[in-house]
Amino acid sequence: MRSLRDIFQFRRQRVILALMLESLHLSIWFDFGSPISRSLMLVHLGLFLIWQPVWRSDQKLALRNGMVFVLLTLGFVIWMNWYLLFFWLILLTGFCGGRTSIHRQERYINILVLIFLMSELLMTCTVSLFDIDLSASVSEAFKFLLPFLPLAIVLLPMPVRRRSLHTVDLIQATTTALLITVLVIGSLLNMYRSGTEYLVALIQTLIAIGTLLFVISWLLSPHAGFSGLSQLWMRSILNIGTPLEKWLEQIANLFEQQSAPEEFLSAAMEELSTLPWITGAVWKTTKSEGRYGEITKHETELISGNIVTCIYSHAPVGGALFLHCKLLVQIIDNFYETKLRERKLTQQTHLQAIHETGARVTHDIKNLLQALHAITSISNQDAEKESGSASQKLIEKQLPHLTQRLQSALDKLQAPETTLPHDVQANDWWNDLQNRSNLSDIEFQSDTQDNPLIPAELFDTVTENLLENIRSKRQLNPEISVTVSLYCADDSVVLTVCDNGEAIPYEIEKSLLKDPVKSDNGLGIGLFQVSKQADSNGYLLSILKNQSGRVCFALKKVPQDKDSESASSG
C-alpha cells in the first residue's frame, strides 16, 4: 500500500495533467455549450489552477489574485463560445510549449500535450468557428482517439532522477503561441485562396512552417566556416550603441591613467556620457557623486555594486539597450572596485613599512628618554635659581612635556594593546598648551562654557602636527600668523587651527586626511594617521576652509545617537 501511495505522489502532476486534458476534450466534443459542457469546463479550469506552472504549489495565493481568477473563470464558463475557446487553447498551448524540460520523458510529455491541444484547436475549434466542412470519419476518429493521449502521458515511465524544473520561458511560450496562430491563419488563407480542402491546406502549411523552422535552426547552428546567426546576434546585442571592444579599450586606458578611484570613476562616467544615445549621467557612491551631460525626462536607474547610476537618453531605453547599458555600468563598477582594492593594498603596504620602521626606532626612543630624564632632573634643580634666560625658561616648560610624551610613545610601542587613553579637563589642557607653546605669533582664543573631559593625546597630536606644518610654511613666508581656538558648550567640543598662508593645492587637498600624501620632509602620513586616530576616538578632523589668506582645520566631536548611547549604557 505504501508503494502505491509513493507511485501516486510521483505521478501526481501527470494525473492532474491527464484529467485536465480529458475534461477539456469531453467539454468540447459532447454538446459544446450545454450545462454539462460548462460543468466539465469548470472542472478543467480548476485542474488547470492546480497544474499551472506559474505559481508554486506551496505558494500562498493572494486574495486579489484569487478573486481575479474566480471572476475570469465564472465569466469564461457563463459566456463560453468558440471564440473564447479559441483564445484559451492558444494561451494553453503557449503555457505547455514554454515549459522548461530537464529530462527526456518530460520533453515527450510536452510533445504529447502539444499534439493534443493542436488537434483540439485545428480539428474542432477552428472547424466549428469558421464553419468548415470536415469528413465525419475524420471527426469521429479524433473524437475517440484523442482521449488516449492523456492516458499515454500517465503510463510513460518516470525518470530515474525525480528532480524536475517547473518554470515557463516567456519568450518560448510567446513563440509557440504565435507559431500556432500562424499555422491556423496560414491554413485558412491557403484553403480559401487555393480552394483546396481544409486538411490538404493544413498539411501544406505544416510542411511550409516546418521547412522554415528547419532553415532557421540550421542558420542558428555553427558550421564549418560559418559561426551561425546566434553568435552574430549576441555580438550585435553587445555592440548596441558602441563597439564593445573599443569601449573596453578606452576604459582600460582610463584605468591605467587615473590613480585615484574617484578620478577613474569620474573619467569613466564622462566617457559613458559621450555615447551617442546617452545625453547625460548622474552617479553616486558612498564617497563621491557627480554628474555629466544633459538631464532629460527619460531616466534609467541602474544599481551595480558600489555605484548607483542614472542614465538619461533622448528616448526610453528598450530591452536590448537596457541590457547593454547595464553591462557597461557593471564593467565600470568592476574597474572601480579594483581601484578601491588597489588603494587599500597600497595603504596597507605603506602602513606596514611604517610599522617596521617604528619597531626599529623603539630602542632609540628608549635611549633618548633616558637622556631626557637626566636633563629634566638637572633642569628642575637649576629652576630653583632666580636667574635664567628665555631659552632656559622654554626648556624648563618643554622638557617635562617631552619626557611625558616620549614615555607614552614608548609604552605604546612596547605594549599597544594595554595602553589606555588619558582624558583631562579641557581647561587644564588649554592652559598647558599655552604654557608650552614654542611657536611665536600665536593667538589663542577660547570659549569654554563647559569643562568636559577630552582625550589629551589626540588633541596634542592634532595641534603638534598642524603647528609643525605651519612652521614649515613660515620658512617660505615668515609673516604668517596663527590662531588656535577652543570651543566647549553643550557636549560640543571644537578645536580649530587657522593661518593666513597660501591655500593647500587641490591635488593634495582631495587626498589629505584620507590617504598618505607625498611629502619632501617626511613620510606624508602624519595628518592621515591623526585623522584615523580622531575617528577612533569619536572625533572628526576636517578642512574647515581652504583659500589664500585663510586655511583652517577643525577637530570636532561627533555627536552620538541617543539610541546608541542608551544601548551602551545598558
Side-chain angles (χ1 to χ4, degrees):
M1 191 67 183
R2 183 179 179 180
S3 60
L4 293 177
R5 185 169 58 251
D6 293 339
I7 293 174
F8 179 77
Q9 290 294 332
F10 295 153
R11 297 183 180 272
R12 179 174 178 271
Q13 286 293 111
R14 295 188 181 184
V15 171
I16 294 175
L17 177 59
L19 293 176
M20 182 185 73
L21 297 179
E22 294 287 4
S23 60
L24 175 64
H25 179 76
L26 295 174
S27 175
I28 294 174
W29 284 90
F30 292 96
D31 195 10
F32 180 76
S34 64
I36 296 178
S37 175
R38 297 177 190 273
S39 301
L40 291 172
M41 182 60 67
L42 186 61
V43 172
H44 163 75
L45 294 175
L47 292 171
F48 170 78
L49 180 60
I50 300 175
W51 169 84
Q52 53 79 30
V54 178
W55 294 307
R56 299 191 309 268
S57 58
D58 58 343
Q59 182 178 355
K60 185 178 180 181
L61 190 61
L63 179 61
R64 181 179 178 182
N65 296 334
M67 292 299 297
V68 170
F69 183 82
V70 170
L71 292 177
L72 290 177
T73 302
L74 292 177
F76 183 87
V77 173
I78 294 172
W79 291 289
M80 187 175 67
N81 54 44
W82 292 113
Y83 291 100
L84 290 177
L85 182 62
F86 180 86
F87 289 109
W88 171 245
L89 288 175
I90 292 291
L91 181 62
L92 191 57
T93 304
F95 269 116
C96 297
R99 295 196 68 182
T100 304
S101 302
I102 298 178
H103 307 292
R104 182 178 299 177
Q105 288 85 350
E106 292 182 353
R107 290 195 291 270
Y108 290 158
I109 292 174
N110 287 340
I111 292 174
L112 292 176
V113 173
L114 287 175
I115 293 174
F116 180 89
L117 295 176
M118 289 174 60
S119 301
E120 297 285 4
L121 177 66
L122 296 172
M123 306 308 299
T124 307
C125 185
T126 304
V127 171
S128 301
L129 185 61
F130 293 93
D131 197 15
I132 300 173
D133 292 332
L134 189 63
S135 174
S137 60
V138 175
S139 178
E140 290 295 326
F142 277 95
K143 178 179 179 179
F144 292 104
L145 292 179
L146 278 180
F148 290 99
L149 287 179
L151 296 178
I153 292 175
V154 177
L155 297 176
L156 280 176
M158 296 294 296
V160 178
R161 298 179 61 185
R162 299 170 184 172
R163 182 182 178 184
S164 61
L165 183 66
H166 301 290
T167 58
V168 176
D169 186 348
L170 181 60
I171 297 178
Q172 187 174 345
T174 305
T175 304
T176 304
L178 290 176
L179 281 176
I180 298 301
T181 306
V182 170
L183 176 61
V184 174
I185 296 175
S187 301
L188 294 174
L189 289 177
N190 188 17
M191 181 186 67
Y192 290 124
R193 181 178 179 277
S194 61
T196 58
E197 294 183 359
Y198 176 68
L199 288 178
V200 177
L202 177 61
I203 295 174
Q204 292 175 351
T205 308
L206 281 172
I207 294 174
I209 294 178
T211 305
L212 178 62
L213 292 177
F214 175 79
V215 173
I216 293 176
S217 176
W218 184 85
L219 291 175
L220 291 176
S221 302
H223 302 281
F226 179 64
S227 59
L229 292 179
S230 58
Q231 296 187 15
L232 296 177
W233 170 252
M234 292 300 298
R235 186 178 301 176
S236 65
I237 291 179
L238 292 177
N239 292 331
I240 291 177
T242 178
L244 183 64
E245 294 82 359
K246 182 179 179 181
W247 194 82
L248 282 176
E249 183 180 355
Q250 294 171 350
I251 295 298
N253 291 334
L254 293 176
F255 182 82
E256 296 293 335
Q257 295 170 3
Q258 305 295 335
S259 57
E262 289 76 15
E263 294 178 357
F264 163 76
L265 181 60
S266 178
M269 287 298 175
E270 184 178 4
E271 184 69 27
L272 182 66
S273 301
T274 58
L275 298 179
W277 51 277
I278 294 180
T279 61
V282 176
W283 74 93
K284 183 178 181 180
T285 64
T286 56
K287 296 184 178 180
S288 65
E289 59 183 14
R291 165 183 169 181
Y292 275 108
E294 177 185 356
I295 305 301
T296 63
K297 64 179 181 179
H298 303 295
E299 176 184 350
T300 303
E301 183 177 356
L302 299 169
I303 301 177
S304 176
N306 303 288
I307 309 174
V308 179
T309 310
C310 290
I311 303 296
Y312 297 91
S313 55
H314 297 285
V317 176
L321 198 58
F322 175 81
L323 294 176
H324 180 73
C325 187
K326 186 176 181 180
L327 175 62
L328 299 182
V329 174
Q330 286 179 345
I331 291 174
I332 294 177
D333 179 62
N334 290 336
F335 277 103
Y336 177 69
E337 180 69 23
T338 303
K339 276 292 182 183
L340 291 176
R341 294 176 181 175
E342 180 181 325
R343 182 171 67 178
K344 186 176 181 180
L345 182 60
T346 303
Q347 292 177 359
Q348 291 177 350
T349 304
H350 197 83
L351 291 175
Q352 182 180 359
I354 294 174
H355 292 164
E356 293 176 354
T357 304
R360 292 195 296 267
V361 302
T362 301
H363 184 70
D364 295 337
I365 292 178
K366 183 178 181 180
N367 295 335
L368 289 173
L369 183 61
Q370 293 175 354
L372 282 174
H373 274 301
I375 296 175
T376 302
S377 60
I378 297 174
S379 177
N380 291 333
Q381 294 175 3
D382 293 342
E384 298 175 357
K385 301 178 181 180
E386 296 181 357
S387 60
S389 60
S391 60
Q392 179 67 24
K393 294 181 179 180
L394 179 62
I395 293 175
E396 292 175 359
K397 293 180 181 179
Q398 291 290 337
L399 278 179
H401 180 70
L402 291 177
T403 303
Q404 181 182 358
R405 292 295 307 280
L406 279 173
Q407 182 64 54
S408 176
L410 183 62
D411 293 340
K412 284 186 178 182
L413 289 171
Q414 291 177 341
E417 67 280 356
T418 59
T419 305
L420 299 176
H422 177 57
D423 294 342
V424 298
Q425 299 289 337
N427 289 333
D428 296 339
W429 177 85
W430 182 249
N431 295 330
D432 182 64
L433 175 66
Q434 297 180 67
N435 292 331
R436 59 184 169 83
S437 175
N438 59 353
L439 194 64
S440 60
D441 297 333
I442 298 182
E443 180 182 357
F444 292 96
Q445 301 176 355
S446 64
D447 182 9
T448 54
Q449 301 177 11
D450 296 333
N451 190 22
L453 290 174
I454 60 174
E457 181 184 356
L458 172 63
F459 277 66
D460 287 339
T461 305
V462 170
T463 53
E464 289 177 2
N465 275 272
L466 294 177
L467 293 178
E468 182 64 27
N469 291 339
I470 295 174
R471 184 181 292 108
S472 301
K473 295 171 68 174
R474 277 186 173 180
Q475 296 178 0
L476 301 177
N477 184 9
E479 303 299 327
I480 293 178
S481 60
V482 186
T483 302
V484 181
S485 304
L486 179 64
Y487 171 81
C488 300
D490 299 331
D491 199 28
S492 176
V493 180
V494 181
L495 174 68
T496 58
V497 179
C498 303
D499 67 82
N500 60 351
E502 294 293 327
I504 303 173
Y506 173 75
E507 292 76 11
I508 298 179
E509 180 189 5
K510 64 184 180 181
S511 301
L512 198 63
L513 307 180
K514 301 177 183 178
D515 302 297
V517 296
K518 294 183 179 180
S519 175
D520 297 332
N521 53 1
L523 293 172
I525 200 173
L527 290 179
F528 171 63
Q529 288 283 57
V530 170
S531 177
K532 293 181 63 177
Q533 182 182 359
D535 183 67
S536 62
N537 284 271
Y539 285 77
L540 175 65
L541 180 62
S542 61
I543 302 176
L544 191 62
K545 185 173 293 185
N546 183 31
Q547 60 186 26
S548 296
R550 189 67 174 173
V551 179
C552 294
F553 288 82
L555 178 65
K556 301 179 181 180
K557 185 176 181 180
V558 178
Q560 295 182 353
D561 297 335
K562 294 182 179 181
D563 296 338
S564 61
E565 290 179 357
S566 61
S568 61
S569 62

PDB file of all heavy atoms in Angstrom, residues 489-512:
ATOM      1  N   ALA A 489      30.832  73.681  24.680  1.00  0.00           N
ATOM      2  CA  ALA A 489      29.499  74.028  25.188  1.00  0.00           C
ATOM      3  C   ALA A 489      28.506  72.974  24.753  1.00  0.00           C
ATOM      4  O   ALA A 489      28.525  72.538  23.596  1.00  0.00           O
ATOM      5  CB  ALA A 489      29.064  75.408  24.690  1.00  0.00           C
ATOM      6  N   ASP A 490      27.630  72.567  25.688  1.00  0.00           N
ATOM      7  CA  ASP A 490      26.531  71.643  25.371  1.00  0.00           C
ATOM      8  C   ASP A 490      27.020  70.357  24.706  1.00  0.00           C
ATOM      9  O   ASP A 490      26.565  69.961  23.640  1.00  0.00           O
ATOM     10  CB  ASP A 490      25.498  72.314  24.464  1.00  0.00           C
ATOM     11  CG  ASP A 490      24.871  73.536  25.123  1.00  0.00           C
ATOM     12  OD1 ASP A 490      24.800  73.532  26.359  1.00  0.00           O
ATOM     13  OD2 ASP A 490      24.478  74.463  24.387  1.00  0.00           O
ATOM     14  N   ASP A 491      28.011  69.734  25.308  1.00  0.00           N
ATOM     15  CA  ASP A 491      28.561  68.470  24.807  1.00  0.00           C
ATOM     16  C   ASP A 491      29.161  68.612  23.415  1.00  0.00           C
ATOM     17  O   ASP A 491      29.281  67.645  22.666  1.00  0.00           O
ATOM     18  CB  ASP A 491      27.492  67.384  24.797  1.00  0.00           C
ATOM     19  CG  ASP A 491      28.097  65.990  24.739  1.00  0.00           C
ATOM     20  OD1 ASP A 491      29.242  65.832  25.225  1.00  0.00           O
ATOM     21  OD2 ASP A 491      27.462  65.077  24.192  1.00  0.00           O
ATOM     22  N   SER A 492      29.537  69.819  23.046  1.00  0.00           N
ATOM     23  CA  SER A 492      30.175  70.080  21.756  1.00  0.00           C
ATOM     24  C   SER A 492      31.587  70.594  22.008  1.00  0.00           C
ATOM     25  O   SER A 492      31.773  71.576  22.758  1.00  0.00           O
ATOM     26  CB  SER A 492      29.363  71.098  20.951  1.00  0.00           C
ATOM     27  OG  SER A 492      30.030  71.413  19.750  1.00  0.00           O
ATOM     28  N   VAL A 493      32.575  69.950  21.400  1.00  0.00           N
ATOM     29  CA  VAL A 493      33.973  70.333  21.540  1.00  0.00           C
ATOM     30  C   VAL A 493      34.539  70.549  20.146  1.00  0.00           C
ATOM     31  O   VAL A 493      34.503  69.637  19.310  1.00  0.00           O
ATOM     32  CB  VAL A 493      34.786  69.257  22.285  1.00  0.00           C
ATOM     33  CG1 VAL A 493      36.234  69.687  22.428  1.00  0.00           C
ATOM     34  CG2 VAL A 493      34.172  68.978  23.646  1.00  0.00           C
ATOM     35  N   VAL A 494      35.060  71.775  19.903  1.00  0.00           N
ATOM     36  CA  VAL A 494      35.605  72.106  18.592  1.00  0.00           C
ATOM     37  C   VAL A 494      36.949  72.796  18.798  1.00  0.00           C
ATOM     38  O   VAL A 494      37.038  73.815  19.498  1.00  0.00           O
ATOM     39  CB  VAL A 494      34.668  73.035  17.789  1.00  0.00           C
ATOM     40  CG1 VAL A 494      35.277  73.334  16.421  1.00  0.00           C
ATOM     41  CG2 VAL A 494      33.292  72.416  17.633  1.00  0.00           C
ATOM     42  N   LEU A 495      37.983  72.246  18.194  1.00  0.00           N
ATOM     43  CA  LEU A 495      39.318  72.834  18.190  1.00  0.00           C
ATOM     44  C   LEU A 495      39.662  73.237  16.763  1.00  0.00           C
ATOM     45  O   LEU A 495      39.597  72.405  15.857  1.00  0.00           O
ATOM     46  CB  LEU A 495      40.352  71.840  18.721  1.00  0.00           C
ATOM     47  CG  LEU A 495      41.818  72.293  18.632  1.00  0.00           C
ATOM     48  CD1 LEU A 495      42.092  73.450  19.577  1.00  0.00           C
ATOM     49  CD2 LEU A 495      42.760  71.109  18.933  1.00  0.00           C
ATOM     50  N   THR A 496      40.018  74.508  16.536  1.00  0.00           N
ATOM     51  CA  THR A 496      40.369  74.994  15.200  1.00  0.00           C
ATOM     52  C   THR A 496      41.758  75.589  15.228  1.00  0.00           C
ATOM     53  O   THR A 496      42.155  76.262  16.203  1.00  0.00           O
ATOM     54  CB  THR A 496      39.369  76.050  14.708  1.00  0.00           C
ATOM     55  OG1 THR A 496      39.336  77.142  15.626  1.00  0.00           O
ATOM     56  CG2 THR A 496      37.978  75.464  14.567  1.00  0.00           C
ATOM     57  N   VAL A 497      42.502  75.352  14.155  1.00  0.00           N
ATOM     58  CA  VAL A 497      43.830  75.925  13.949  1.00  0.00           C
ATOM     59  C   VAL A 497      43.832  76.571  12.570  1.00  0.00           C
ATOM     60  O   VAL A 497      43.627  75.884  11.559  1.00  0.00           O
ATOM     61  CB  VAL A 497      44.935  74.850  14.051  1.00  0.00           C
ATOM     62  CG1 VAL A 497      46.300  75.463  13.802  1.00  0.00           C
ATOM     63  CG2 VAL A 497      44.895  74.165  15.404  1.00  0.00           C
ATOM     64  N   CYS A 498      44.054  77.907  12.535  1.00  0.00           N
ATOM     65  CA  CYS A 498      43.980  78.660  11.283  1.00  0.00           C
ATOM     66  C   CYS A 498      45.265  79.446  11.072  1.00  0.00           C
ATOM     67  O   CYS A 498      45.933  79.842  12.035  1.00  0.00           O
ATOM     68  CB  CYS A 498      42.785  79.617  11.288  1.00  0.00           C
ATOM     69  SG  CYS A 498      41.197  78.822  11.566  1.00  0.00           S
ATOM     70  N   ASP A 499      45.581  79.681   9.805  1.00  0.00           N
ATOM     71  CA  ASP A 499      46.685  80.556   9.434  1.00  0.00           C
ATOM     72  C   ASP A 499      46.284  81.341   8.196  1.00  0.00           C
ATOM     73  O   ASP A 499      45.314  81.005   7.516  1.00  0.00           O
ATOM     74  CB  ASP A 499      47.972  79.760   9.194  1.00  0.00           C
ATOM     75  CG  ASP A 499      47.886  78.858   7.983  1.00  0.00           C
ATOM     76  OD1 ASP A 499      48.094  79.362   6.857  1.00  0.00           O
ATOM     77  OD2 ASP A 499      47.599  77.650   8.154  1.00  0.00           O
ATOM     78  N   ASN A 500      47.036  82.407   7.919  1.00  0.00           N
ATOM     79  CA  ASN A 500      46.743  83.265   6.771  1.00  0.00           C
ATOM     80  C   ASN A 500      47.710  83.048   5.619  1.00  0.00           C
ATOM     81  O   ASN A 500      47.999  83.975   4.856  1.00  0.00           O
ATOM     82  CB  ASN A 500      46.757  84.736   7.197  1.00  0.00           C
ATOM     83  CG  ASN A 500      48.113  85.156   7.767  1.00  0.00           C
ATOM     84  OD1 ASN A 500      48.976  84.302   7.999  1.00  0.00           O
ATOM     85  ND2 ASN A 500      48.290  86.445   7.992  1.00  0.00           N
ATOM     86  N   GLY A 501      48.194  81.813   5.478  1.00  0.00           N
ATOM     87  CA  GLY A 501      49.125  81.496   4.405  1.00  0.00           C
ATOM     88  C   GLY A 501      48.421  81.097   3.120  1.00  0.00           C
ATOM     89  O   GLY A 501      47.212  81.306   2.941  1.00  0.00           O
ATOM     90  N   GLU A 502      49.198  80.507   2.212  1.00  0.00           N
ATOM     91  CA  GLU A 502      48.665  80.080   0.924  1.00  0.00           C
ATOM     92  C   GLU A 502      47.753  78.862   1.097  1.00  0.00           C
ATOM     93  O   GLU A 502      47.902  78.075   2.033  1.00  0.00           O
ATOM     94  CB  GLU A 502      49.794  79.741  -0.049  1.00  0.00           C
ATOM     95  CG  GLU A 502      50.650  80.924  -0.455  1.00  0.00           C
ATOM     96  CD  GLU A 502      49.863  81.925  -1.277  1.00  0.00           C
ATOM     97  OE1 GLU A 502      48.951  81.490  -2.031  1.00  0.00           O
ATOM     98  OE2 GLU A 502      50.131  83.136  -1.174  1.00  0.00           O
ATOM     99  N   ALA A 503      46.780  78.729   0.185  1.00  0.00           N
ATOM    100  CA  ALA A 503      45.852  77.605   0.239  1.00  0.00           C
ATOM    101  C   ALA A 503      46.555  76.296  -0.101  1.00  0.00           C
ATOM    102  O   ALA A 503      47.582  76.278  -0.795  1.00  0.00           O
ATOM    103  CB  ALA A 503      44.685  77.838  -0.713  1.00  0.00           C
ATOM    104  N   ILE A 504      46.003  75.216   0.395  1.00  0.00           N
ATOM    105  CA  ILE A 504      46.541  73.883   0.079  1.00  0.00           C
ATOM    106  C   ILE A 504      46.216  73.556  -1.376  1.00  0.00           C
ATOM    107  O   ILE A 504      45.073  73.748  -1.811  1.00  0.00           O
ATOM    108  CB  ILE A 504      45.924  72.833   1.007  1.00  0.00           C
ATOM    109  CG1 ILE A 504      46.179  73.198   2.467  1.00  0.00           C
ATOM    110  CG2 ILE A 504      46.468  71.444   0.704  1.00  0.00           C
ATOM    111  CD1 ILE A 504      45.456  72.309   3.451  1.00  0.00           C
ATOM    112  N   PRO A 505      47.157  73.085  -2.175  1.00  0.00           N
ATOM    113  CA  PRO A 505      46.867  72.741  -3.581  1.00  0.00           C
ATOM    114  C   PRO A 505      45.745  71.709  -3.667  1.00  0.00           C
ATOM    115  O   PRO A 505      45.585  70.848  -2.790  1.00  0.00           O
ATOM    116  CB  PRO A 505      48.194  72.193  -4.106  1.00  0.00           C
ATOM    117  CG  PRO A 505      49.225  72.783  -3.202  1.00  0.00           C
ATOM    118  CD  PRO A 505      48.581  72.914  -1.856  1.00  0.00           C
ATOM    119  N   TYR A 506      44.978  71.790  -4.762  1.00  0.00           N
ATOM    120  CA  TYR A 506      43.822  70.908  -4.927  1.00  0.00           C
ATOM    121  C   TYR A 506      44.241  69.447  -4.985  1.00  0.00           C
ATOM    122  O   TYR A 506      43.562  68.574  -4.454  1.00  0.00           O
ATOM    123  CB  TYR A 506      43.068  71.293  -6.202  1.00  0.00           C
ATOM    124  CG  TYR A 506      41.953  70.336  -6.551  1.00  0.00           C
ATOM    125  CD1 TYR A 506      40.759  70.337  -5.836  1.00  0.00           C
ATOM    126  CD2 TYR A 506      42.111  69.410  -7.587  1.00  0.00           C
ATOM    127  CE1 TYR A 506      39.734  69.444  -6.135  1.00  0.00           C
ATOM    128  CE2 TYR A 506      41.092  68.515  -7.898  1.00  0.00           C
ATOM    129  CZ  TYR A 506      39.912  68.543  -7.169  1.00  0.00           C
ATOM    130  OH  TYR A 506      38.915  67.659  -7.479  1.00  0.00           O
ATOM    131  N   GLU A 507      45.371  69.154  -5.620  1.00  0.00           N
ATOM    132  CA  GLU A 507      45.813  67.764  -5.744  1.00  0.00           C
ATOM    133  C   GLU A 507      46.083  67.146  -4.381  1.00  0.00           C
ATOM    134  O   GLU A 507      45.895  65.942  -4.176  1.00  0.00           O
ATOM    135  CB  GLU A 507      47.070  67.674  -6.616  1.00  0.00           C
ATOM    136  CG  GLU A 507      46.850  68.009  -8.080  1.00  0.00           C
ATOM    137  CD  GLU A 507      46.711  69.495  -8.324  1.00  0.00           C
ATOM    138  OE1 GLU A 507      47.002  70.279  -7.379  1.00  0.00           O
ATOM    139  OE2 GLU A 507      46.310  69.882  -9.438  1.00  0.00           O
ATOM    140  N   ILE A 508      46.552  67.999  -3.430  1.00  0.00           N
ATOM    141  CA  ILE A 508      46.822  67.489  -2.085  1.00  0.00           C
ATOM    142  C   ILE A 508      45.557  67.506  -1.239  1.00  0.00           C
ATOM    143  O   ILE A 508      45.308  66.597  -0.440  1.00  0.00           O
ATOM    144  CB  ILE A 508      47.941  68.326  -1.423  1.00  0.00           C
ATOM    145  CG1 ILE A 508      49.237  68.205  -2.235  1.00  0.00           C
ATOM    146  CG2 ILE A 508      48.165  67.897   0.016  1.00  0.00           C
ATOM    147  CD1 ILE A 508      50.381  69.021  -1.680  1.00  0.00           C
ATOM    148  N   GLU A 509      44.719  68.521  -1.416  1.00  0.00           N
ATOM    149  CA  GLU A 509      43.519  68.657  -0.594  1.00  0.00           C
ATOM    150  C   GLU A 509      42.572  67.481  -0.752  1.00  0.00           C
ATOM    151  O   GLU A 509      41.993  66.991   0.230  1.00  0.00           O
ATOM    152  CB  GLU A 509      42.792  69.955  -0.958  1.00  0.00           C
ATOM    153  CG  GLU A 509      41.530  70.176  -0.141  1.00  0.00           C
ATOM    154  CD  GLU A 509      40.716  71.342  -0.647  1.00  0.00           C
ATOM    155  OE1 GLU A 509      41.090  71.911  -1.691  1.00  0.00           O
ATOM    156  OE2 GLU A 509      39.706  71.687  -0.009  1.00  0.00           O
ATOM    157  N   LYS A 510      42.403  66.969  -2.007  1.00  0.00           N
ATOM    158  CA  LYS A 510      41.439  65.893  -2.219  1.00  0.00           C
ATOM    159  C   LYS A 510      41.881  64.575  -1.598  1.00  0.00           C
ATOM    160  O   LYS A 510      41.053  63.680  -1.389  1.00  0.00           O
ATOM    161  CB  LYS A 510      41.192  65.710  -3.719  1.00  0.00           C
ATOM    162  CG  LYS A 510      42.410  65.274  -4.497  1.00  0.00           C
ATOM    163  CD  LYS A 510      42.100  65.210  -5.989  1.00  0.00           C
ATOM    164  CE  LYS A 510      43.319  64.771  -6.790  1.00  0.00           C
ATOM    165  NZ  LYS A 510      43.023  64.728  -8.241  1.00  0.00           N
ATOM    166  N   SER A 511      43.184  64.424  -1.304  1.00  0.00           N
ATOM    167  CA  SER A 511      43.666  63.194  -0.668  1.00  0.00           C
ATOM    168  C   SER A 511      44.044  63.391   0.787  1.00  0.00           C
ATOM    169  O   SER A 511      44.229  62.414   1.511  1.00  0.00           O
ATOM    170  CB  SER A 511      44.880  62.651  -1.434  1.00  0.00           C
ATOM    171  OG  SER A 511      44.555  62.370  -2.771  1.00  0.00           O
ATOM    172  N   LEU A 512      44.185  64.648   1.220  1.00  0.00           N
ATOM    173  CA  LEU A 512      44.588  64.924   2.589  1.00  0.00           C
ATOM    174  C   LEU A 512      43.543  64.397   3.570  1.00  0.00           C
ATOM    175  O   LEU A 512      42.335  64.493   3.328  1.00  0.00           O
ATOM    176  CB  LEU A 512      44.773  66.439   2.767  1.00  0.00           C
ATOM    177  CG  LEU A 512      45.596  66.897   3.980  1.00  0.00           C
ATOM    178  CD1 LEU A 512      47.018  66.386   3.874  1.00  0.00           C
ATOM    179  CD2 LEU A 512      45.588  68.417   4.083  1.00  0.00           C
TER     180      LEU A 512
END
